Amino acid sequence: MLRNCTLFYPNRANKSLLRRLPRCFSLDQTSTATGSSHQQEQQQNADTAREVKHHENFASDWWNKKGPMAALHALNEIRVPLIRDGIIARGIVNSAYINTTSVLNGQRILEVGCGAGLLTEQLARLGAQVTGIDLGEELINKARSHLTESSPELCSKVDYKVQPIDQHAKTNDNHYDAVIVSEVLEHVEDKVALLEASVRTLKPGGSIFITTLNKTLPMWLGGIVLGEYVLNLAPKGTHHWDKMIAPLDVQRILDTMHCQTVLINGSTYDFWRNTWRWINSTQFCYALQAVKQE
């Protein structure tokens, strides 16, 4: 996508440049490309607004363990230990806190697309200083109210912001020990931009953790057709085939940002028990950890 396209007009300063352009390249083509870029950006903004609104519709019921976010609540059972152990494995945790309930004490963590804070609070309970950002104002309001009403002891450890990641990255360069992008990529059009901004906020040696849905036929049939339209495990319209992404593609994107993938785990959801478990295949869902190189 062309984000910054310079138009050249035939004045004295650039007539010579125009003469050197290939005949197949015209000002009309440049203008068309700029218009197309602008249209694409408008479409992405509209898509983002729809995604945010879709999730805000469930803000009031977000913390209901038997509600529409039941599977997301259950996911904490495997994603919290994965993040905890992944951070410990990098050797950046104070040894005095290992094997304690405050194992992540002193760790700064950013959660991108935190929703109403299901994962954010759990990481804070392990001692981390957690910043949760989301585009949904109603979701952040719900996250804040739940924090103050149900977990006031964590208020000093959690900071919620209604803020896009690219804006947050401008003032938090190389700031966090870990960045979490959990159940977010499958709702985003421009995955490269989101990951690039997320990595910018990460300290060298820090880890980015991603959980998402694989772009496979079994995932589409099980996760969307069956999960949303037959069993109602998730609200209809939550996931879309064209936004899913394979783990190898995520790894390739992160490679260009000097992040080395150190772990990829496959996972699946047993809906009849409302539990998640790790499996030897990534054909359904997966978790990935990558480390930002020095």
Side-chain angles (χ1 to χ4, degrees):
M1 182 173 65
L2 298 174
R3 290 190 179 275
N4 299 300
C5 193
T6 304
L7 296 179
F8 296 97
Y9 296 95
N11 55 34
R12 292 181 179 177
N14 55 37
K15 277 185 179 179
S16 60
L17 175 59
L18 284 172
R19 283 195 295 269
R20 292 198 299 270
L21 289 174
R23 291 183 179 181
C24 62
F25 188 95
S26 68
L27 293 177
D28 288 341
Q29 288 175 313
T30 308
S31 179
T32 300
T34 305
S36 176
S37 174
H38 179 66
Q39 184 179 17
Q40 187 176 1
E41 186 174 352
Q42 285 183 321
Q43 290 174 345
Q44 286 187 357
N45 290 339
D47 179 79
T48 299
R50 283 194 298 270
E51 287 280 2
V52 172
K53 180 60 179 175
H54 175 82
H55 287 85
E56 282 187 318
N57 289 335
F58 307 100
S60 62
D61 215 22
W62 204 272
W63 279 90
N64 180 2
K65 291 185 177 182
K66 296 183 178 180
M69 298 300 148
L72 209 54
H73 281 270
L75 185 58
N76 273 355
E77 296 298 320
I78 64 170
R79 63 178 172 175
V80 172
L82 177 95
I83 294 166
R84 177 199 64 202
D85 296 345
I87 294 175
I88 292 174
R90 303 316 303 167
I92 60 176
V93 172
N94 188 323
S95 59
Y97 295 113
I98 296 178
N99 297 325
T100 72
T101 55
S102 301
V103 62
L104 297 183
N105 190 63
Q107 300 297 306
R108 291 180 178 175
I109 298 178
L110 171 66
E111 186 184 0
V112 181
C114 65
L118 298 187
L119 178 58
T120 319
E121 284 196 18
Q122 290 300 311
L123 295 173
R125 289 191 183 282
L126 294 178
Q129 291 291 141
V130 191
T131 299
I133 63 173
D134 201 284
L135 297 179
E137 187 173 356
E138 291 186 31
L139 291 172
I140 291 297
N141 288 340
K142 181 62 178 179
R144 288 170 175 162
S145 65
H146 186 273
L147 182 68
T148 55
E149 295 168 9
S150 303
S151 306
E153 72 280 6
L154 299 178
C155 286
S156 63
K157 290 188 171 295
V158 177
D159 184 20
Y160 287 118
K161 299 176 184 289
V162 181
Q163 192 177 47
I165 179 58
D166 56 337
Q167 183 180 334
H168 188 77
K170 291 177 182 178
T171 54
N172 291 277
D173 190 60
N174 296 327
H175 182 71
Y176 295 101
D177 299 292
V179 175
I180 318 298
V181 186
S182 185
E183 307 308 293
V184 172
L185 278 189
E186 67 269 25
H187 303 293
V188 176
E189 286 281 358
D190 195 345
K191 295 171 175 53
V192 173
L194 181 138
L195 290 174
E196 189 277 330
S198 298
V199 168
R200 258 192 291 145
T201 70
L202 192 60
K203 294 178 182 177
S207 294
I208 181 169
F209 294 89
I210 297 167
T211 69
T212 189
L213 285 59
N214 200 350
K215 193 171 187 176
T216 63
L217 183 58
M219 186 64 245
W220 179 74
L221 290 172
I224 297 181
V225 178
L226 186 63
E228 294 183 16
Y229 292 90
V230 178
L231 299 174
N232 297 315
L233 301 176
K236 292 180 177 64
T238 298
H239 301 108
H240 307 277
W241 166 262
D242 58 331
K243 292 182 181 176
M244 295 178 181
I245 185 169
L248 183 58
D249 291 329
V250 175
Q251 185 175 350
R252 286 169 174 164
I253 293 171
L254 292 173
D255 282 346
T256 68
M257 300 168 187
H258 307 291
C259 290
Q260 181 182 2
T261 299
V262 297
L263 176 147
I264 299 177
N265 279 356
S267 63
T268 190
Y269 177 60
D270 297 332
F271 65 88
W272 59 91
R273 296 187 300 174
N274 189 30
T275 58
W276 290 81
R277 57 189 171 90
W278 300 118
I279 58 176
N280 291 327
S281 170
T282 60
Q283 66 175 336
F284 293 108
C285 304
Y286 61 93
L288 181 151
Q289 178 187 359
V291 178
K292 185 175 180 178
Q293 302 304 293
E294 296 289 342

